[in-house]
């Protein structure tokens, strides 16, 4: 099946620093999604990207859909303690009919030191 | 927050017993999904539904069955639970297949 490589696996940063994480795939995706998961909760959608080259922001978060459609990155600027959590990328293929399955990266664990 | 309720939130049971997890949504979304989340594997799709009585398998469907008799409810059943099915199970919904999925808060299932 399709595989997503998400890096880094974990990050430990100081409050106020910027953060960057990315996902790469051997397959082309039509949609890239970024989620954040807090302990004991489900993933929450942060940003959705639908076009190659698209750059989208959500507050301090910025994500881009790679030109090749095989990669995406997420940046967090001026990190704060509540940014702590696991960040997942997910790619969605063209599907067709009833088949629009998501492929998830294994996550980036972010720790922010106040 | 998307109106998704998973029940129970926690369950401990024994090997060989049947287990049913419920996902209830109030968004009237057509698509519903069941995932399991395990360390080192991330989120993996078990089964999904694209309408009432319309379901299909995901990548890790062995040992699981699903049913969807009405739009708002999607049930996941482990007919005879095994220890390898100890996991956190998440339900997700989307309005259309190509729209982003929104997740419930999960069910932590332990099989002893």
């Amino acid at each position: 099946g399709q595989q997503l490589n998400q890096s880094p696996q974990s990050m430990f940063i100081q409050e106020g620093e910027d953060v960057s994480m990315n996902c790469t795939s051997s397959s082309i995706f039509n949609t890239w999604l970024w989620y954040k998961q807090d302990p004991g909760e489900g993933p929450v959608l942060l940003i959705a990207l639908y076009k190659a080259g698209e750059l989208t922001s959500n507050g301090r978060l910025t994500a881009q859909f790679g030109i090749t459609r095989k990669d995406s990155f997420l940046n967090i600027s001026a990190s704060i303690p509540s940014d702590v959590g696991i960040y997942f990328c997910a790619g969605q293929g063209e599907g067709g009919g009833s088949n629009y399955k998501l492929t998830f990266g294994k996550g980036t664990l972010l720790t922010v030191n106040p | 927050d998307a109106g998704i309720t998973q029940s129970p939130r926690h369950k401990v049971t024994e090997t060989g017993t049947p287990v049913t997890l419920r996902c209830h949504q109030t968004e009237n979304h057509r698509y519903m999904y069941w995932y399991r989340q395990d360390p080192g594997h991330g989120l993996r799709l078990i089964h999904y539904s694209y309408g009432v009585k319309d379901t299909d398998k995901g990548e890790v469907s062995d040992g699981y069955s699903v049913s969807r008799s009405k739009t708002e409810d999607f049930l996941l059943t482990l007919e005879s639970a095994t220890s390898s099915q100890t996991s956190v199970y998440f339900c997700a919904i989307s309005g259309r297949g190509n729209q982003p999925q929104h997740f419930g808060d999960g069910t932590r299932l332990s099989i002893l």
Side-chain angles (χ1 to χ4, degrees):
Chain A
Q2 294 172 323
Q3 301 254 343
L4 280 188
N5 295 311
Q6 185 171 350
S7 64
Q9 281 187 308
S10 62
M11 302 181 73
F12 187 95
I13 62 170
Q14 296 295 121
E15 183 177 359
E17 289 183 357
D18 297 343
V19 171
S20 185
M21 59 192 78
N22 70 85
C23 277
T24 59
S25 169
S26 56
S27 305
I28 289 173
F29 288 115
N30 282 358
T31 301
W32 281 96
L33 306 171
W34 285 92
Y35 290 87
K36 177 177 182 257
Q37 185 176 23
D38 292 329
E41 299 183 10
V44 174
L45 181 68
L46 299 174
I47 291 179
L49 302 158
Y50 298 103
K51 263 176 27 177
E54 180 182 356
L55 185 71
T56 297
S57 293
N58 178 8
R60 293 178 296 106
L61 278 60
T62 301
Q64 185 158 29
F65 192 141
I67 291 290
T68 65
R69 295 167 62 194
K70 292 183 178 181
D71 63 312
S72 177
F73 72 75
L74 174 71
N75 285 345
I76 305 173
S77 63
S79 58
I80 59 178
S82 63
D83 290 334
V84 165
I86 304 176
Y87 292 79
F88 291 98
C89 62
Q92 187 171 49
E94 186 170 32
S98 58
N99 190 356
Y100 288 104
K101 298 172 187 173
L102 288 180
T103 301
F104 282 87
K106 294 184 179 177
T108 294
L109 173 62
L110 178 63
T111 304
V112 179
N113 192 31
Chain B
D1 289 346
I4 307 169
T5 304
Q6 291 187 234
S7 58
R9 291 296 314 277
H10 303 271
K11 186 172 182 67
V12 180
T13 190
E14 294 183 348
T15 300
T17 59
V19 177
T20 295
L21 308 183
R22 181 183 183 233
C23 178
H24 178 79
Q25 57 133 339
T26 57
E27 306 296 318
N28 200 36
H29 280 351
R30 180 180 172 194
Y31 285 77
M32 299 184 76
Y33 311 81
W34 277 108
Y35 290 88
R36 60 178 289 173
Q37 186 175 40
D38 304 289
H41 290 280
L43 284 152
R44 293 181 291 174
L45 183 65
I46 304 172
H47 282 280
Y48 67 100
S49 169
Y50 48 97
V52 173
K53 292 189 172 25
D54 292 322
T55 66
D56 203 352
K57 296 178 180 180
E59 64 178 299
V60 289
S61 59
D62 286 349
Y64 301 95
S65 62
V66 290
S67 66
R68 189 159 178 212
S69 58
K70 44 188 178 176
T71 298
E72 56 266 37
D73 289 326
F74 193 31
L75 304 181
L76 177 71
T77 297
L78 292 64
E79 300 289 348
S80 178
T82 68
S83 58
S84 65
Q85 294 175 310
T86 292
S87 186
V88 182
Y89 290 86
F90 287 99
C91 173
I93 64 174
S94 66
R96 292 197 299 267
N98 60 352
Q99 289 180 325
Q101 296 173 23
H102 297 275
F103 287 80
D105 282 337
T107 294
R108 184 172 295 275
L109 178 64
S110 296
I111 300 163
L112 307 177

